[in-house]
Amino acid sequence: MSKQPIGIFDSGVGGTSIWKEIQLLLPNENTIYLADSSNAPYGTKTKQQIIDLSIRNTQFLLNKGSKLIVVACNTATTNAIKMLRSTFDVPFIGIEPAIKPASLNTYTKAVGILATKGTLSSELFHTTTNLYSNGINVIEQVGDGIVELIESGKIHSEEMEALLKGYLQPMIDANIDYLVLGCTHYPYLMPLLLQILPKSVKIIDSGAAVARQTKAILHQHHLLNTEPSKTSYDFYTTGTPQVMESLLGEDYKVQHISL
Ligand code: DGL
């Protein structure tokens, strides 16, 4: 069982930022990644639609023999992980905006959070925010249009720069010292974010924490692959492979599938 792959899914290419962290921390693990790019963005869909797509994605990864599922999408985690855990009998790891470390460490008592509408309107996000943000000015911003631009290969574009400047200025005006990236697509914006934000603002994303949690849960279930062998990395997309291949580099091939 430990040789079976870790299954990872996202609405699109963003979860590859999580896959990179998992591959770094767990180099013996085989992985299967599913990008549901033909249905991206998930962030504008209803909770029920997100649940239905997440169940379908999980089913695909389980049919391929996954021993554990990483929901590499904040929107799917905050809307569907409860349902996934009650439907399937494998361990699930999710990702949520890291509002807790930002709120505990802020000096200016102002933190920014950039995420999808689906994440910011979820019950799970509200519960976490209410728990940790007492006395802190949390500036929430829906990142409308960002996922679409990344999915169409326009990470480093003038459109993206203009969009981000508009979203971040109110946060800069409110004197934030932490920006929480609440979507797994957003780590790919790091160069632009660093360019736009004042140097005093720290950017938090949860990718490395998700990889550590994956390792801990595999260990707990005796599922860690401890034998070094030739590792397999399989990538599937319901969209076009080119954008994902350009993010992964030329060593990796992405296969198109219809679900
Ligand atoms: N990567 C997804 C997330 O973390 C993007 C959601 C979307 O497709 O809108 O939320």
Side-chain angles (χ1 to χ4, degrees), residues 10-15 39-44 72-76 95 115-116 119 147-148 151 182-186:
D10 179 32
S11 63
V13 299
N39 287 301
Y42 279 14
T44 50
C73 175
N74 291 258
T75 311
I95 179 163
T116 69
T119 294
V147 166
E148 289 90 327
E151 289 292 325
C183 172
T184 55
H185 281 70
Y186 300 171

Side-chain angles (χ1 to χ4, degrees), residues 2-243:
S2 63
K3 287 199 171 39
Q4 298 296 109
I6 297 174
I8 305 168
F9 79 83
D10 179 32
S11 63
V13 299
T16 54
S17 63
I18 306 293
W19 173 80
K20 286 178 183 175
E21 300 286 352
I22 289 174
Q23 189 235 1
L24 268 179
L25 188 69
L26 297 163
N28 293 334
E29 297 294 335
N30 301 309
T31 62
I32 301 185
Y33 183 97
L34 171 64
D36 190 17
S37 293
S38 69
N39 287 301
Y42 279 14
T44 50
K45 293 187 164 42
T46 65
K47 185 179 169 78
Q48 193 55 50
Q49 286 173 317
I50 297 167
I51 288 174
D52 292 345
L53 290 167
S54 299
I55 287 179
R56 191 205 57 169
N57 297 341
T58 301
Q59 199 70 66
F60 170 81
L61 294 169
L62 291 178
N63 289 346
K64 296 265 175 206
S66 300
K67 60 183 174 184
L68 169 146
I69 305 290
V70 177
V71 183
C73 175
N74 291 258
T75 311
T77 299
T78 51
N79 286 278
I81 203 160
K82 214 169 145 187
M83 184 60 96
L84 293 174
R85 286 190 171 128
S86 66
T87 308
F88 298 101
D89 200 20
V90 285
F92 282 88
I93 310 291
I95 179 163
E96 285 179 65
I99 203 82
K100 180 180 169 183
S103 300
L104 293 177
N105 293 308
T106 175
Y107 183 73
T108 62
K109 301 290 171 216
V111 305
I113 154 108
L114 191 60
T116 69
K117 180 164 166 275
T119 294
L120 293 178
S121 62
S122 70
E123 206 184 308
L124 194 55
F125 176 75
H126 283 136
T127 312
T128 316
T129 308
N130 290 340
L131 206 59
Y132 296 107
S133 65
N134 206 356
I136 290 159
N137 182 14
V138 179
I139 298 134
E140 297 175 16
Q141 175 65 54
V142 174
D144 265 339
I146 298 178
V147 166
E148 289 90 327
L149 283 176
I150 294 175
E151 289 292 325
S152 56
K154 294 182 184 159
I155 296 180
H156 311 285
S157 60
E158 280 175 20
E159 278 159 281
M160 183 70 88
E161 193 174 337
L163 208 56
L164 287 180
K165 279 185 174 158
Y167 292 158
L168 297 174
Q169 195 56 50
M171 300 185 187
I172 297 170
D173 294 343
N175 199 24
I176 61 159
D177 56 357
Y178 280 89
L179 171 67
V180 177
L181 302 185
C183 172
T184 55
H185 281 70
Y186 300 171
Y188 285 112
L189 304 172
M190 204 57 99
L192 262 180
L193 293 170
L194 290 171
Q195 193 184 305
I196 298 168
L197 289 167
K199 296 236 174 323
S200 55
V201 177
K202 293 166 212 63
I203 302 171
I204 309 192
D205 92 84
S206 326
V210 170
R212 288 195 298 273
Q213 179 69 356
T214 304
K215 186 175 181 180
I217 298 296
L218 284 175
H219 177 72
Q220 191 183 312
H221 290 260
H222 308 289
L223 288 171
L224 270 176
N225 191 357
T226 46
E227 287 170 43
S229 56
K230 205 178 165 340
T231 337
S232 71
Y233 302 129
D234 294 335
F235 294 95
Y236 296 92
T237 179
T238 59
T240 49
Q242 286 78 7
V243 176

